Amino acid sequence: MSLRTRAGQGGVATGIAAILFASLSVPTAAAAPGPGAGGVGDPYYPGAGNGGYDVAHYDIRLTYQPATDLLSGSTTILATATQDLSSFNLDFGLKVKSVRVNNAVAKFANDPKDPSELVVTPAKPLAKGKPITVVVSYADTPSQVKIDGVTAWKKTPDGALAVDEPQSAEWWYPSSDHPTDKANFDVSVEVPDNVSALSNGTLTGKTKQRAGWTRWNWRSTQPQATYLASLEIGAFEVLESTTPSGQQFITAYDPALGAALPSAKVSIERSPEVVEFLETQFGPYPFDAQGGVASNGIGFALENQTRPVYGNGFWRRGANTSVVAHELAHQWFGDSVSLGRWSDIWLNEGFASYAEYLWSEQEGEGTVDELAEYTYNLYPADSDFWQVLPGDPGAENQFDGAVYDRGALAVHALRKAVGDEAFFQLLKTWQAQKKGGHARISEFIALAEKISGKPLHELFQTWLFQKGRPATSPNGASAEVSAGSVARSAGGALVQPKSFPEIQFTHQQLAAHG
């Protein structure tokens, strides 16, 4: 644009004068610091996470008394301001005693519209790009704290479980509780000598500071979503060993499982073997420790990072390595690569459910084709099952069986469409590129099209975003042909794959969580 045009009809002199005046003008005052957002904008859970800062590390140091359910201690948060802040929120529901920000006493109060939002006002505004140290001291009985009418803290006869999805942190430590704000963790919990305190990552040691109490210290060195941080306290039998790859392998078993206890052990103790197999499918295991916890205090399983927790129902019919394969597959899909929004739950559950198929084939208990065909025919065309969209199920259907089963069928349909070479290259590339972060379904589709060189919009639309039963099974057979050839053996006899009852049982249990 010419100077004359900018100046208009006033001519060049007028334009030059305007420029000189502008150069001598008083600079506009900088905007005043403002409050951080009370959520990250997730449509399913608007209050989840917080704006204005990015967390790098949580140091959680607690004491727990099983007899009274009193949890007390402090959490120190290391973060960086992403804007100039006059105040910021933490997701937390317990009673707070004090808050300090950068060593200065800060004001705090719960948002009257949402008691799980703790609003912190530091003594001085926080500048964008500067480090923040927040220390929150608190004490409360978590089992008595309800948020939106529920509690994610499970009190057991000899302890408690902080295990749940999509939120559980609010009942035991303050956080920015959304998978897009991952951090490293140190968790140190003091409990009576007769109980154990399990958490994520590596056990760095057990220490004693007073008679009758032991402090368990855990460290997670890889980025971890807040809901995947867990705490299991109880009279567990704790087994400590090393995997063939040299990683710490710690498992724990609740004696209250009774007759089901041996079945839990023979399943979970095979975790390193399952991890070795999944590495051949997804790429290197993304963490530095392995393990699992079997509890009688819940009826579901959850993929807590490095140490999944399994409920009591999975072992009633004997050993069940399908659920182990499911939860360990989450270490790649859901833990290392977390969902960007909770509507992207298919990136977690579709692939973890598909891992059950892969493990079944590895064990000689039904091929992936057989299992996919069986699942497709399990639900009639008029079933409500086909009305749930795995690609965006809605918060009310986030853990519906369709997210798991139809989600797995979508994965198999993709594999059939692009071929094995491109499919497994896609899975490994996805993990390598997104490790330690989070992602959206749209990003996965884009990578799938790039690696395969094929247009895949219609396939994903059919299996993830369109109501109704697809006209053909993932194997490509029409519904009529598929129904007549479910899981036929080479000899032609109609058989049900041996592992399928366990897989269905897994999904029934996981329909609520995991």
Side-chain angles (χ1 to χ4, degrees):
M1 180 180 293
S2 70
L3 182 59
R4 182 176 296 275
T5 306
R6 284 188 58 199
Q9 295 184 354
V12 174
T14 304
I16 294 175
I19 293 173
L20 291 174
F21 179 79
S23 67
L24 296 173
S25 298
V26 177
T28 303
V40 297
D42 193 313
Y44 283 15
Y45 307 102
N50 297 291
Y53 63 94
D54 179 60
V55 179
H57 186 80
Y58 293 95
D59 184 275
I60 305 169
R61 189 173 180 86
L62 305 171
T63 294
Y64 180 70
Q65 301 181 27
T68 60
D69 195 39
L70 177 64
L71 184 73
S72 60
S74 65
T75 292
T76 301
I77 302 170
L78 301 181
T80 301
T82 57
Q83 68 178 70
D84 293 337
L85 286 170
S86 59
S87 65
F88 60 89
N89 286 21
L90 292 169
D91 298 315
F92 196 48
L94 302 189
K95 294 177 182 176
V96 175
K97 297 164 63 176
S98 66
V99 179
R100 297 178 75 94
V101 178
N102 294 341
N103 290 308
V105 174
K107 296 179 181 179
F108 63 91
N110 289 102
D111 185 337
K113 296 181 181 179
D114 185 352
S116 67
E117 291 285 343
L118 182 70
V119 182
V120 178
T121 304
K124 296 180 180 180
L126 305 174
K128 179 180 179 180
K130 296 297 184 180
I132 311 169
T133 301
V134 183
V135 182
V136 182
S137 298
Y138 50 97
D140 208 344
T141 52
S143 60
Q144 297 180 15
V145 175
K146 290 189 175 182
I147 299 172
D148 294 330
V150 301
T151 177
W153 181 268
K154 283 81 174 169
K155 181 70 182 79
T156 64
D158 54 7
L161 303 171
V163 178
D164 217 314
E165 184 184 22
Q167 282 95 25
S168 63
E170 284 88 332
W171 286 266
W172 68 290
Y173 71 97
S175 70
S176 177
D177 194 10
H178 192 271
T180 54
D181 196 356
K182 301 167 81 168
N184 297 342
F185 283 74
D186 280 321
V187 176
S188 178
V189 183
E190 185 185 44
V191 292
D193 288 342
N194 62 332
V195 298
S196 306
L198 287 301
S199 191
N200 312 80
T202 58
L203 179 64
T204 61
K206 290 178 277 186
T207 57
K208 291 185 69 69
Q209 296 172 289
R210 54 178 170 157
W213 294 80
T214 299
R215 181 169 291 280
W216 295 64
N217 303 289
W218 300 88
R219 174 163 291 167
S220 298
T221 60
Q222 297 294 319
Q224 179 173 279
T226 44
Y227 82 96
L228 296 171
S230 65
L231 180 61
E232 302 87 33
I233 298 172
F236 292 102
E237 176 189 0
V238 180
L239 304 180
E240 301 182 37
S241 62
T242 303
T243 70
S245 63
Q247 294 186 332
Q248 192 181 78
F249 179 52
I250 296 179
T251 53
Y253 299 93
D254 187 346
L257 288 169
L261 184 56
S263 296
K265 284 186 176 181
V266 300
S267 303
I268 297 173
E269 290 301 313
R270 292 183 66 185
S271 294
E273 177 191 353
V274 177
V275 166
E276 288 179 9
F277 167 71
L278 293 177
E279 285 185 309
T280 67
Q281 311 296 296
F282 306 148
Y285 180 66
F287 305 118
D288 55 4
Q290 299 180 38
V293 178
S295 172
N296 198 49
I298 55 175
F300 60 88
L302 189 63
E303 62 271 17
N304 301 298
Q305 193 158 303
T306 70
R307 193 156 288 108
V309 179
Y310 304 90
N312 52 25
F314 293 101
W315 328 112
R316 291 173 182 162
R317 291 189 257 178
N320 182 357
T321 53
S322 287
V323 68
V324 175
H326 182 109
E327 302 307 332
L328 291 180
H330 274 308
Q331 304 306 304
W332 286 264
F333 290 92
D335 293 12
S336 179
V337 184
S338 297
L339 45 77
R341 290 289 184 270
W342 280 104
S343 58
D344 298 312
I345 189 67
W346 172 73
L347 290 173
N348 291 15
E349 301 304 344
F351 289 90
S353 298
Y354 193 69
E356 297 178 51
Y357 294 3
L358 296 170
W359 177 249
S360 173
E361 186 169 87
Q362 164 75 6
E363 291 288 275
E365 296 183 347
T367 67
V368 174
D369 282 346
E370 289 175 331
L371 292 168
E373 205 71 24
Y374 187 92
T375 303
Y376 175 78
N377 287 286
L378 189 66
Y379 303 98
D382 60 355
S383 171
D384 289 341
F385 171 88
W386 299 107
Q387 299 305 303
V388 176
L389 306 179
D392 190 3
E396 70 282 2
N397 290 319
Q398 189 176 346
F399 302 107
D400 187 89
V403 175
Y404 297 78
D405 282 347
R406 186 174 177 179
L409 296 181
V411 176
H412 194 53
L414 171 63
R415 179 180 176 180
K416 289 295 185 179
V418 303
D420 280 7
E421 182 178 355
F423 176 76
F424 287 106
Q425 181 187 351
L426 167 63
L427 301 191
K428 293 175 181 177
T429 302
W430 178 253
Q431 292 299 319
Q433 291 185 356
K434 303 293 185 179
K435 179 181 178 181
H438 57 271
R440 305 296 309 275
I441 290 176
S442 58
E443 296 175 72
F444 183 85
I445 294 174
L447 184 62
E449 291 186 327
K450 179 180 179 180
I451 288 178
S452 69
K454 296 183 177 182
L456 298 170
H457 172 80
E458 184 176 349
L459 181 145
F460 283 106
Q461 187 69 24
T462 297
W463 285 98
L464 296 183
F465 299 104
Q466 183 174 295
K467 292 184 178 181
R469 187 189 194 190
T472 60
S473 77
N475 293 323
S478 67
E480 293 76 11
V481 172
S482 177
S485 60
V486 178
R488 291 189 182 278
S489 68
L494 187 63
V495 296
Q496 176 173 304
K498 289 188 292 182
S499 66
F500 193 78
E502 284 71 34
I503 291 175
Q504 271 306 106
F505 183 66
T506 299
H507 290 171
Q508 290 167 3
Q509 294 295 321
L510 295 176
H513 303 280

